[in-house]
Amino acid sequence: MYSEKVLKHFKNPKFAGEIKNPDAVGQVGNPRCGDVMKIFLKVKDNIIKDIKFKTFGCIAAIAASDMMCELAKGKTIDKALKIKADDIVKGLGKMPVIKYHCSILGTQALKKAIENYQRSKK
Amino acid sequence: MKRIYLDNGATTMLDPKVIEAMLPYFTAKYGNASSAHSFGEEASEALEKSRAVIAKSINANPDEIIFTSGGTESNNFALKSIAFTNKNKGNHIIVSKVEHKCIMKACKWLEQQGFNITYLGVDKEGFVNPDDLEKAITDKTILVSIIHGNNETGTINDLKKLGDVCKKHSVYFHTDACQSYTKTEINVKNQDIDLITLNAHKIHGPKGIGALYIRKGTSIKPWQHGGDHEFGMRAGTEDIPGIVGFAEAVKIAMNKKHIAYMANLRDILIKGVLEIPEVKLNGPIGAKRLCNSANFTFKGIEGEAIGGYLNNKGIASSTGSACSARTLEPSYVLMAIGLSHEQANSSLRLTLSRFTTKEEIDYTLKVLLEVVKSLRKISPFWEE
């Protein structure tokens, strides 16, 4: 059902948790649909220095959150904004079709956190 | 890794004694029960002996038991055939909102065929109120179908009271007893039930075999046509090994000691899980709950994730969550007892069997505590 990589990220998510005094936070999703992701960011010189997540969701949602953080860490804001749902799925090996939305939610959560960061800088 | 199976509501292990009883009917005694030679006689004798066992278990007559391929077929047979056989009397059917999916889908299909279906609500523990049932009956009502032991909440409906209402209004009463069979009493001599769905694989019998009890005198025509098997009510060569296995499973299961054993472990499990903060038991407690069933809502974490973690630790469970890999809809049964989407998505079902041990329950409690802690740690809805 799930790939080895999905299960690995689900079992031992490296980026799970929160950042104290984050530069920005972004939350997307709705518990009615099953998944809510909250992203914490630390940004320096336009680069994502640290990123963590808290997710209410299924195995796929937790794995996608972790993968998204892995892809975003160390990237510039512009490059991080270009991360696509497909990149998350690719990073995880594969994802059941019915769970694809978890990856989309991952990119939306990151986008929201970055937007909040940019707004705070204005 | 040692594996623990707590999904006996889905299916059960075949009891080795059941396999033993079945084996001769695959090889030595493989005749067709309709044949006139000695092979056929062996098969037919086994068939009728088995039928008598099933009949006795619910205090019915043997000719009121029709073997089928399982619970889904029996439910479809009962609903669709009663509907079409009795459509000259009316086109209204009443079911509850917490029926098994096969009843729900059969009802959706019957609606397309011109039948009207009323879906009765249940209370917060999952019980159908007999007064609500009585109010829903009209002069067009031909059939009521209410689940006996609920597969998700474990709620055991009162067949006596519901049956009395149906009898008073001369309406056929069917119950799906797949989960409750042998776990709580069914007695057609003092409960007014006209049709009962029974199956084997929830009670350590083989998969693919079930039965429909049809009270003598019920107006129902066959749904599956062909030969004259099963008193002309269900065509198709009987699965003798399966039927023999079914009867053997029933013989072993009809033992009150098993019920007490499972209920004790269930209560240890429930007590242990409720010690975790912010956990809610779904369904009733005590004798009105299936002796092997527990269902919980864990605040702030998602059911499939809990199940996934347990699976990593070798524990098989089941979830009422929307987020199982096959569906995105939360359980309509849990929603019907008043849970929110969030709560339904945060639910987990653990179902025991007579083979479950105290050690397995202790281990499960230990692991569950760890799982809940670590998932809550990464939940945006949980503050320590």
Side-chain angles (χ1 to χ4, degrees), chain B residues 26-62:
Chain B
F26 285 108
T27 49
K29 305 178 179 180
Y30 52 83
N32 184 323
S34 303
S35 300
H37 43 62
S38 67
F39 290 82
E41 278 164 19
E42 276 170 357
S44 146
E45 196 184 312
L47 173 63
E48 296 318 321
K49 269 192 181 162
S50 302
R51 196 189 307 281
V53 170
I54 312 292
K56 193 178 163 218
S57 71
I58 57 169
N59 207 6
N61 297 320

Side-chain angles (χ1 to χ4, degrees), chain B residues 243-294:
Chain B
I243 288 167
V244 168
F246 185 8
E248 190 64 24
V250 170
K251 268 193 238 167
I252 303 170
M254 291 297 286
N255 180 341
K256 288 210 165 76
K257 271 190 207 155
H258 296 320
I259 301 176
Y261 176 80
M262 287 185 269
N264 178 48
L265 284 187
R266 173 201 68 185
D267 291 342
I268 293 171
L269 176 70
I270 290 176
K271 188 170 170 276
V273 174
L274 291 181
E275 279 171 16
I276 302 173
E278 302 274 359
V279 179
K280 171 178 143 33
L281 176 74
N282 298 314
I285 47 169
K288 285 186 170 182
R289 176 176 204 108
L290 287 172
C291 60
N292 69 329
S293 166

